[in-house]
């Protein structure tokens, strides 16, 4: 579950100010920026949707996990449940809003290096969301398939055998989806490649370029300094 937290951090930075002045009660105002019931609940729902799309977890499964008591949730999913408890989520949302406001005021978010990082993160997130949606659209799981998988899981795992049928079917669908995603992904990626036109620069030796390490400015300065000192 460690991968989830950075993902949510990126998400928070992109949706903070959506929904201000939406007509719902104001929870509080931070430096003039209002957190409303509407904006908070919208952020909460969007975070769940983002997690579902990028982590290949069905949205209804996430909702099921976060609304159950901790004792009813599989151990590996408890960090997710804890992260999405209403108070925990609000405290983190509020804290990150304060940090972003201070970062904005200090000029941090206007720096060229930070803009480049955000641009890269945006490209990465869009890529993940798009591919996940394309893979999702190619996977259909029938009730019969889910029941068969549930039966197999019950045979192999005593813990699953104690689960009620609805939870077993959710787990079965997740297992089938995970397997099929691995099969569908290469086909989806190939289809994406077919949707663009690539024109190679015949005068550029790509193989030669890729065979050499990138020289970073910091390393170049250090090397130049050491060379001067040696003389």
């Amino acid at each position: 579950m460690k991968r989830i937290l950075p993902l949510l951090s990126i998400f928070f930075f992109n949706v903070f100010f959506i929904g201000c002045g939406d007509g719902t009660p104001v929870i509080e105002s931070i430096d003039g920026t209002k957190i409303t019931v509407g904006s908070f609940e919208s952020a909460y729902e969007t975070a769940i949707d983002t997690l579902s799309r990028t982590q290949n977890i069905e949205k209804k499964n996430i909702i099921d996990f976060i609304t159950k008591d901790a004792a009813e949730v599989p151990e590996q999913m408890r960090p997710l449940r804890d992260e999405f408890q209403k108070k925990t989520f609000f405290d983190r949302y509020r804290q990150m809003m304060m940090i972003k406001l201070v970062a904005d005021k200090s000029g941090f978010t206007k720096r060229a290096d930070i803009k480049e990082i955000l641009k890269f993160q945006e490209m990465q997130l869009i890529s993940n969301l798009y591919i996940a949606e394309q893979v999702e659209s190619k996977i259909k799981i029938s009730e019969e398939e889910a029941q068969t998988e549930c039966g197999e899981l019950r045979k192999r795992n005593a813990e699953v055998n104690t689960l009620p049928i609805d939870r077993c079917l959710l787990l079965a669908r997740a297992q089938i989806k995970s397997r099929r995603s691995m099969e569908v992904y290469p086909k989806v990626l190939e289809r994406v490649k077919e949707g663009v036109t690539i024109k190679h620069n015949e005068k550029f030796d790509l193989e030669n370029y890729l065979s050499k390490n990138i020289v970073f400015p910091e390393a170049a300065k250090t090397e130049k300094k050491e060379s001067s000192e040696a003389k």
Side-chain angles (χ1 to χ4, degrees):
M1 300 311 299
K2 290 181 180 179
R3 293 176 57 202
I4 292 173
L5 306 188
L7 173 67
L8 292 183
S9 300
I10 295 167
F11 152 75
F12 279 133
F13 270 71
N14 284 288
V15 300
F16 270 135
F17 304 109
I18 295 174
C20 294
D22 54 15
T24 60
V26 175
I27 299 174
E28 62 183 9
S29 179
I30 303 174
D31 270 2
T33 299
K34 296 176 182 178
I35 300 178
T36 66
V37 169
S39 65
F40 168 67
E41 292 184 355
S42 176
Y44 185 80
E45 184 177 354
T46 304
I48 292 174
D49 189 39
T50 304
L51 180 64
S52 170
R53 290 168 181 263
T54 56
Q55 301 293 315
N56 197 26
I57 307 173
E58 289 193 31
K59 191 173 180 179
K60 60 184 178 181
N61 285 6
I62 297 174
I63 294 172
D64 182 59
F65 288 137
I66 64 181
T67 54
K68 298 286 186 183
D69 289 335
E72 300 179 71
V73 178
E75 187 175 352
Q76 68 270 26
M77 300 303 291
R78 285 175 192 168
L80 182 148
R81 175 196 175 275
D82 294 343
E83 178 69 18
F84 277 95
Q85 292 308 294
K86 194 173 181 180
K87 184 179 185 310
T88 302
F89 189 91
F90 178 78
D91 287 345
R92 195 151 180 271
Y93 177 85
R94 180 175 179 271
Q95 175 180 290
M96 294 188 72
M97 176 174 281
M98 288 189 287
I99 294 171
K100 185 179 186 301
L101 288 169
V102 171
D104 286 343
K105 284 194 293 185
S106 71
F108 179 79
T109 52
K110 293 181 180 179
R111 280 171 34 186
D113 58 334
I114 300 305
K115 285 183 179 180
E116 287 299 315
I117 290 171
L118 292 176
K119 185 166 67 173
F120 177 78
Q121 293 286 4
E122 180 185 35
M123 180 172 65
Q124 188 176 48
L125 187 55
I126 289 173
S127 174
N128 289 340
L129 287 170
Y130 181 77
I131 290 296
E133 183 172 286
Q134 295 304 304
V135 168
E136 177 83 22
S137 69
K138 302 290 188 296
I139 298 174
K140 307 298 179 187
I141 303 171
S142 68
E143 190 64 28
E144 184 179 351
E145 288 174 320
Q147 289 176 354
T148 300
E149 181 73 15
C150 170
E152 292 299 317
L153 289 172
R154 286 185 187 279
K155 290 178 185 177
R156 298 196 302 266
N157 192 314
E159 186 179 350
V160 176
N161 204 34
T162 63
L163 294 175
I165 186 63
D166 59 332
R167 295 289 300 282
C168 182
L169 289 173
L170 282 175
L171 183 59
R173 287 180 177 278
Q175 292 288 324
I176 296 171
K177 183 180 177 183
S178 179
R179 288 200 303 269
R180 291 190 182 171
S181 293
M182 295 177 67
E183 297 170 2
V184 171
Y185 176 79
K187 298 175 184 177
V188 168
L189 195 57
E190 191 60 36
R191 188 65 181 269
V192 168
K193 292 177 181 179
E194 291 173 359
V196 297
T197 301
I198 301 174
K199 185 177 180 180
H200 299 287
N201 179 4
E202 300 302 333
K203 296 180 180 179
F204 185 80
D205 190 341
L206 180 59
E207 290 299 323
N208 181 56
Y209 170 72
L210 294 177
S211 68
K212 298 177 181 178
N213 292 331
I214 294 177
V215 179
F216 296 96
E218 294 83 356
K221 289 179 183 178
T222 302
E223 187 176 322
K224 186 176 180 180
K225 182 180 178 181
E226 290 176 349
S227 178
S228 299
E229 290 176 349
K231 292 178 181 179

